[in-house]
Amino acid sequence: QVQLVESGGGLVQAGGSLRLSCAASGRTFSSYDMGWFRQAPGKEREFVASISRSSGSTYYADSVKGRFTISRDNAKNTVYLQMNSLKPEDTAVYFCAASMLFRAVRSTSYDHWGQGTQVTVSS
């Protein structure tokens, strides 16, 4: 069992940057692939990025590739999402999630979720 708490969201102008953090409780953090998802009002939750247990592999949605970077620190039980060159269409609630599966991009493949943090990008 792992519990996840996101932080770092906020209001930023287009072109700006934010770094989201997700702190995990428990001693099994390194046993999970970690992912970030987002959900805008009226839209379905969508995959943003994921990272493997050892940080050896990362995956990104095409919409964020080249602008966002996912990383993790297993010693600190934390996963990060560095978001640069933000656009108004990045506005959403961002969730981190943990999966026992490898290379998971579907939300149904994730077992544990945080409560989400709001990111708002103004034009």
Side-chain angles (χ1 to χ4, degrees):
Q1 186 77 6
V2 61
Q3 293 182 326
L4 306 172
V5 179
E6 303 96 333
S7 61
L11 174 63
V12 63
Q13 290 188 331
S17 298
L18 282 174
R19 188 175 84 153
L20 305 183
S21 299
C22 174
S25 65
R27 293 175 288 181
T28 60
F29 176 74
S30 60
S31 300
Y32 293 91
D33 275 21
M34 297 299 296
W36 285 96
F37 288 76
R38 66 186 181 186
Q39 188 166 18
K43 295 188 177 181
E44 292 186 354
R45 191 168 298 189
E46 65 173 358
F47 171 79
V48 175
S50 68
I51 187 166
S52 63
R53 290 152 173 77
S54 63
S55 303
S57 298
T58 56
Y59 303 92
Y60 297 93
D62 288 344
S63 58
V64 307
K65 202 171 294 184
R67 300 188 297 122
F68 290 11
T69 303
I70 188 171
S71 62
R72 68 189 294 165
D73 185 337
N74 286 344
K76 295 183 178 180
N77 281 10
T78 302
V79 61
Y80 306 97
L81 186 68
Q82 177 67 44
M83 306 186 294
N84 298 329
S85 303
L86 282 161
K87 305 175 181 180
E89 51 264 44
D90 294 319
T91 296
V93 177
Y94 283 71
F95 300 89
C96 72
S99 175
M100 291 298 293
L101 301 179
F102 294 91
R103 304 180 183 178
V105 298
R106 296 181 178 179
S107 61
T108 52
S109 298
Y110 285 78
D111 310 293
H112 306 285
W113 292 84
Q115 82 291 347
T117 185
Q118 176 70 47
V119 172
T120 303
V121 184
S122 64
S123 57

